[in-house]
Amino acid sequence: MPGTRKLGRATSHRTAMLRAMVTFLLENGKIETTVTRAKEVRSLAEKMITIAKEDTLHNKRMVLSFITKEDVAHKLFSEIAPKYADRNGGYTRISKLGPRRGDAAEMAIIELI
C-alpha cells in the first residue's frame, strides 16, 4: 500500500508526532528513533529543506505551518537551507543501531549531512 506509514497512531497524533520530530531534527541536527519513524521523518524534513531553499514569503508560511518553533523555521532559512543550495535532495542520513532493549524495535539515528 503506497503512501505514508500509520505508525499505530490516529492521524492527528501521528501528524503532531512527526511535526515535533522534524522540528527537533532541524533544531539539533540528529535524533535517535525507530527505523520506520526515521524514514517518515526523512521525507518530511527533506521537503521542508527543499521548500526553504527558495526564500519567499509563501515558502516561509508553508514552513511555519509545519514547523512547531518559529526560531527553528528561521534557522532553516538562514543556516540549514543555504548549506544545501547546490544539492538536490539527500540532506539526511539514517544509520541503523540495532534492536532496542525493551521491545527489540530496530533503532536508528537520523542526522543532517
Side-chain angles (χ1 to χ4, degrees):
M1 186 173 151
T4 57
R5 295 168 179 88
K6 293 193 177 177
L7 302 173
R9 284 166 166 71
T11 308
S12 57
H13 185 180
R14 181 173 60 247
T15 308
M17 179 189 72
L18 292 171
R19 283 178 66 187
M21 290 176 82
V22 169
T23 302
F24 196 72
L25 173 65
L26 295 173
E27 188 175 27
N28 298 312
K30 72 177 185 178
I31 54 174
E32 183 179 325
T33 183
T34 62
V35 173
T36 50
R37 284 184 190 176
K39 287 177 180 177
E40 280 300 301
V41 168
R42 171 174 54 191
S43 75
L44 293 168
E46 298 212 359
K47 281 183 184 113
M48 290 297 116
I49 294 169
T50 302
I51 291 169
K53 284 166 78 172
E54 192 178 338
D55 194 356
T56 63
L57 180 60
H58 177 61
N59 287 353
K60 282 183 179 173
R61 286 179 175 164
M62 286 198 320
V63 167
L64 281 165
S65 72
F66 190 80
I67 302 294
T68 58
K69 294 182 182 175
E70 211 171 301
D71 56 322
V72 176
H74 178 72
K75 179 183 176 184
L76 178 60
F77 278 94
S78 61
E79 297 170 33
I80 299 170
K83 195 166 76 171
Y84 301 115
D86 57 339
R87 188 178 189 131
N88 296 324
Y91 315 120
T92 57
R93 172 190 302 130
I94 296 177
S95 312
K96 292 186 180 178
L97 295 175
R100 181 161 57 192
R101 187 180 161 130
D103 60 358
E106 192 67 30
M107 296 300 286
I109 289 181
I110 179 169
E111 58 192 336
L112 297 173
I113 295 176

